[in-house]
Amino acid sequence: MVWVLAAVMVWGPVGAAAAAPAVPVPVAEGPGSGEQADVELVPGVEGGGRPEYPMDTPDQVLPPLDPEGEVPVPLPDAGEEGEVEYLPRSAVGAACTASTGRHQRRVERLLGLKADGRQSAADCRAIRAFQVKERIKPANGYAGPVTWARAELLAARRSLDPAKRCPVRTYPVACVDLDRQLMWVRKGKKVTFPVVNIRSGRPGYATRKGWKSVYWRHKDHWSSLYDTPMPFAQFFDGGQAFHAVYGQLATPTGSRGCVNLSYRNAEKLWGVLKKGDRVYIWGKRPGS
């Protein structure tokens, strides 16, 4: 199946694009050479060869491949605001598509529709109305990754952890829910970092589950393997880290193991976590 991506933009409230400060653009070259080269290596990793798994992967430069390995084709710009959904070619141009989305059943459940996993005319109208409200483009009723991610986030804001998967401790715990592709931080019963969307590992590069600890932080990290930026990197398990990406998080496939956040959310998380803080990860990214 070939997937199509219209222009990539970041969702936000009306007028946010003009009011919000610009996200810094990565420079063409990083501190990966000369006398500063050693600070770009992840602690405890010997240089001189490719490690057992990618240590500081630049997930933001990976094309969002679909399971068949086909690269999305850009469409004309979708406008000033809103995130842009990934579509199969069969759904492009339809005012209300009959195509069943890859996240059909999940979106139906989250929107209170009959969760049978099959697109109907009523499903399309309801999903399209949600997309219009949330400024997801094109608003044609296709239940793709962007629509699912937004619906999942809104549901989590109403009921953060209904299955009580995140352990409650007296110390801070960064909770990473791979099933819903969400994360938050809590200390005891107090949420110190509100729930946000994430992107975790794609097939073959799963984000490892269980208890972890933030063992190294590098605010302006530059990947020594791939010569590309990983802003606000906070490593918690070998080469796997929280870090910012440029562009959309909700893509058909995931990262190479890191937990990706939007630039602004990664920047905020930097001010919440510190070295030694605990991370708890559970679940499985859908489709991985």
Side-chain angles (χ1 to χ4, degrees):
M1 180 184 295
V2 178
W3 289 78
V4 177
L5 171 64
V8 174
M9 292 170 287
V10 180
W11 176 90
V14 175
V23 172
V25 177
V27 294
E29 58 181 352
S33 59
E35 61 183 19
Q36 295 184 347
D38 59 339
V39 303
E40 301 305 320
L41 300 177
V42 176
V45 178
E46 295 183 3
R50 191 177 183 88
E52 181 180 355
Y53 47 80
M55 294 308 301
D56 47 352
T57 308
D59 301 297
Q60 63 267 40
V61 301
L62 294 172
L65 305 179
D66 77 9
E68 287 73 40
E70 295 169 302
V71 182
V73 179
L75 287 179
D77 191 288
E80 292 293 327
E81 302 164 356
E83 284 187 295
V84 183
E85 187 58 274
Y86 288 78
L87 305 173
R89 293 190 185 279
S90 61
V92 175
C96 206
T97 181
S99 299
T100 295
R102 66 166 61 199
H103 294 285
Q104 187 76 33
R105 192 182 302 274
R106 298 183 188 92
V107 171
E108 289 170 343
R109 174 180 52 80
L110 290 163
L111 298 187
L113 306 172
K114 180 181 179 182
D116 58 8
R118 298 189 299 273
Q119 180 81 316
S120 67
D123 289 339
C124 187
R125 289 193 297 270
I127 296 169
R128 184 179 185 280
F130 176 79
Q131 291 169 334
V132 169
K133 181 180 179 182
E134 299 301 322
R135 295 188 287 279
I136 297 170
K137 302 174 182 181
N140 68 352
Y142 184 78
V146 173
T147 302
W148 168 61
R150 184 63 187 166
E152 202 73 82
L153 178 63
L154 295 179
R157 287 176 178 173
R158 296 189 298 267
S159 179
L160 179 60
D161 189 14
K164 301 187 185 304
R165 300 293 303 275
C166 184
V168 177
R169 298 290 188 269
T170 57
Y171 47 81
V173 177
C175 308
V176 182
D177 185 341
L178 303 181
D179 294 326
R180 297 185 292 167
Q181 292 291 283
L182 300 170
M183 77 147 296
W184 62 94
V185 181
R186 70 186 311 162
K187 182 178 180 181
K189 294 184 178 180
K190 181 180 180 180
V191 175
T192 59
F193 180 79
V195 63
V196 297
N197 291 120
I198 60 147
R199 178 174 60 197
S200 66
R202 62 174 59 190
Y205 298 91
T207 302
R208 293 181 285 276
K209 297 182 289 185
W211 281 103
K212 318 290 178 183
S213 294
V214 175
Y215 72 89
W216 190 59
R217 304 188 336 137
H218 194 179
K219 186 174 183 180
D220 301 308
H221 190 68
W222 194 279
S223 169
S224 55
L225 278 178
Y226 297 94
D227 194 27
T228 196
M230 291 173 59
F232 305 104
Q234 302 192 68
F235 290 85
F236 54 78
D237 186 358
Q240 297 190 351
F242 297 114
H243 71 82
V245 296
Y246 299 91
Q248 290 192 165
L249 286 172
T251 56
T253 53
S255 72
R256 284 188 173 173
C258 287
V259 174
N260 301 158
L261 296 92
S262 71
Y263 188 95
R264 289 183 178 85
N265 285 335
E267 183 178 24
K268 293 175 183 176
L269 184 64
W270 179 268
V272 173
L273 294 181
K274 63 182 184 300
K275 183 177 179 180
D277 279 347
R278 303 301 304 277
V279 179
Y280 186 70
I281 304 172
W282 70 90
K284 180 181 180 182
R285 177 183 169 88
S288 65

